[in-house]
Amino acid sequence: MSAAFYVCFLLWCFQINAAGAQLPPPHNLNVISMNTNYTLIWDWDQGSAESCAVNFTTHYVAKFMLRSKKKSPNWNTGCETTSHRSCDLTNKNLFYLGIYVFRVRASVNGTDSDWATMDFCPDEEAALGPPSKVALSPEGRNLDIVISDPLSSTNRSMREHHEDLYFHIRYWERSADGQVRSSPHTPPTNSWPNQTIFICNTKIIRIQKSSNFNLLLLM
Ligand SMILES: *[C@@H]1O[C@H](CO)[C@@H](O)[C@H](O)[C@H]1NC(C)=O
Ligand SMILES: *[C@@H]1O[C@H](CO)[C@@H](O)[C@H](O)[C@H]1NC(C)=O
Ligand SMILES: *[C@@H]1O[C@H](CO)[C@@H](O)[C@H](O)[C@H]1NC(C)=O
Ligand SMILES: *[C@@H]1O[C@H](CO)[C@@H](O)[C@H](O)[C@H]1NC(C)=O
Ligand SMILES: *[C@@H]1O[C@H](CO)[C@@H](O)[C@H](O)[C@H]1NC(C)=O
């Protein structure tokens, strides 16, 4: 390695570091997700740039595009020059099984920070929402519960992405004084691939979706 190249390399590094130190990049990147709604959020330390308006630019790309050594990846724009610390990527039609890289940088008065990046895979990381609708109708001593699938941001069933989607149902009995008896019942089988089930003599029914969500219905 020639000395001239080495010096240039050092100078180049120094410049990058100096620029990065001037304007801190965003940090704490996180995706708030529900079904196919994805909102990237981040923090940014205002620091010395306090008096200036700050803008953020968000990009995204399929991760495999970054592996190509031949050409630099074509980053897509998520949000351009927003002052919010969030970017709604819902309408970008991300492929549910894909792995993406999101990146965001801060800009103040024409100076850009370094990019902060994070990976995101909807299939593994997006939260599954609750049933989009639950309808109850008493039928004699039975109760019909009609559960509608969680919906994507385009109002399609999330079953298109999770073929094995099923519902957990729990119910409690209520005593005469209105107290809920402590232990919940689980109907005879706790998974229904389809939508209509019957439960006898229930007063309170709780329907759980996935492990995260639940809906309490009071009758
Ligand atoms: C995504 O969810 C957020 C938070 O609930 C909401 O504000 C936003 O409008 C949703 N985006 C779309 C495109 O529906
Ligand atoms: C930065 O954002 C402000 C609003 O926060 C806007 O007025 C301004 O035009 C933006 N700057 C650039 C370079 O886009
Ligand atoms: C913005 O940048 C210009 C040129 O680099 C400089 O003259 C000006 O003082 C800066 N403004 C602020 C508020 O830092
Ligand atoms: C989804 O359905 C809701 C309620 O019917 C409606 O308000 C909304 O506009 C629909 N969204 C789309 C993207 O079709
Ligand atoms: C499940 O419910 C859907 C919609 O009500 C219906 O079209 C489908 O035939 C049902 N599947 C089975 C196996 O009963």
Side-chain angles (χ1 to χ4, degrees):
M1 193 183 294
S2 80
F5 175 80
Y6 196 65
V7 168
C8 284
F9 181 72
L10 279 179
L11 282 174
W12 179 73
C13 286
F14 176 74
Q15 269 191 329
I16 297 265
N17 279 336
Q22 270 177 359
L23 196 60
H27 60 104
N28 283 348
L29 273 60
N30 200 2
V31 179
I32 307 291
S33 62
M34 164 94 75
N35 296 330
T36 59
N37 178 314
Y38 319 113
T39 304
L40 179 67
I41 60 168
W42 58 86
D43 291 334
W44 188 71
D45 296 328
Q46 195 87 26
S48 57
E50 210 152 1
S51 56
C52 302
V54 59
N55 287 332
F56 299 98
T57 302
T58 308
H59 289 167
Y60 65 97
V61 72
K63 190 168 186 177
F64 74 87
M65 302 281 281
L66 299 179
R67 291 201 200 107
S68 166
K69 295 210 167 59
K70 288 194 194 111
K71 55 174 188 175
S72 53
N74 209 358
W75 288 87
N76 306 292
T77 302
C79 299
E80 203 147 34
T81 58
T82 54
S83 53
H84 316 138
R85 284 156 178 67
S86 70
C87 176
D88 190 342
L89 294 156
T90 305
N91 295 326
K92 303 301 177 186
N93 281 325
L94 301 188
F95 178 51
Y96 199 74
L97 298 175
I99 302 176
Y100 290 87
V101 179
F102 296 162
R103 70 178 187 180
V104 56
R105 76 178 173 195
S107 309
V108 173
N109 194 26
T111 306
D112 297 329
S113 76
D114 289 339
W115 293 100
T117 65
M118 78 168 282
D119 289 6
F120 180 71
C121 173
D123 181 48
E124 285 176 13
E125 294 167 66
L128 188 58
S132 55
K133 194 172 154 209
V134 179
L136 305 176
S137 61
E139 294 284 336
R141 284 174 55 82
N142 287 340
L143 180 68
D144 280 7
I145 305 181
V146 182
I147 306 169
S148 305
D149 291 345
L151 296 178
S152 72
S153 52
T154 52
N155 283 345
R156 301 176 69 93
S157 168
M158 283 303 289
R159 201 176 290 276
E160 291 178 8
H161 301 301
H162 294 286
E163 281 173 18
D164 54 348
L165 184 128
Y166 61 88
F167 303 104
H168 283 294
I169 298 177
R170 304 254 174 83
Y171 65 98
W172 285 259
E173 289 168 34
R174 197 160 51 178
S175 55
D177 61 2
Q179 294 292 306
V180 175
R181 288 193 200 146
S182 56
S183 61
H185 300 276
T186 302
T189 154
N190 69 355
S191 94
W192 288 270
N194 229 336
Q195 295 161 323
T196 306
I197 56 122
F198 303 93
I199 299 175
C200 297
N201 287 331
T202 59
K203 291 288 194 290
I204 296 177
I205 296 162
R206 183 178 176 198
I207 294 162
Q208 287 193 326
K209 260 308 288 76
S210 178
S211 53
N212 289 337
F213 278 94
N214 55 65
L215 189 65
L216 188 66
L217 302 173
L218 300 174
M219 299 175 56

